[in-house]
Amino acid sequence: MKIDVLMAGVGGQGIILASDALAEVALRSGYDVKKADSLGMAQRGGSVTSHVRLGEHVFSPLIKRGEADFLLAFERLEAARWADYLG
């Protein structure tokens, strides 16, 4: 089993905190977890994304385009920007 979650939003919305919480819950549940964040100009309301991959064995933290199982967007424009990552 493998689950890929892409979280997207803008600076200050809590994307990093939410992805940290998801990763922590998955780790405590016994899953292998890899996580990668992209902050950009987050302090000025810029785009923020977090890739969270969990499963039995996960080798890379980045989700490839077209392979995300879930897109959790905190901002409508970011949802549209990252929609092509959904499987």
Side-chain angles (χ1 to χ4, degrees):
M1 182 194 80
K2 171 193 69 73
I3 299 174
D4 294 335
V5 180
L6 179 62
M7 296 184 179
V10 296
Q13 290 185 316
I15 300 296
I16 304 301
L17 180 64
S19 64
D20 284 346
L22 175 63
E24 184 67 27
V25 168
L27 275 172
R28 289 181 185 217
S29 297
Y31 292 101
D32 183 19
V33 178
K34 300 292 186 282
K35 179 178 171 301
D37 301 318
S38 173
L39 302 175
M41 293 293 291
Q43 291 179 334
R44 299 180 185 240
S47 181
V48 177
T49 59
S50 186
H51 298 241
V52 181
R53 304 186 74 207
L54 56 110
E56 200 170 310
H57 297 289
V58 179
F59 300 104
S60 170
L62 296 177
I63 301 169
K64 294 179 184 177
R65 183 172 275 131
E67 293 188 5
D69 297 308
F70 299 97
L71 171 61
L72 180 60
F74 290 25
E75 167 80 24
R76 184 176 290 187
L77 181 60
E78 293 300 315
R81 180 177 293 161
W82 295 95
D84 60 334
Y85 272 73
L86 283 170

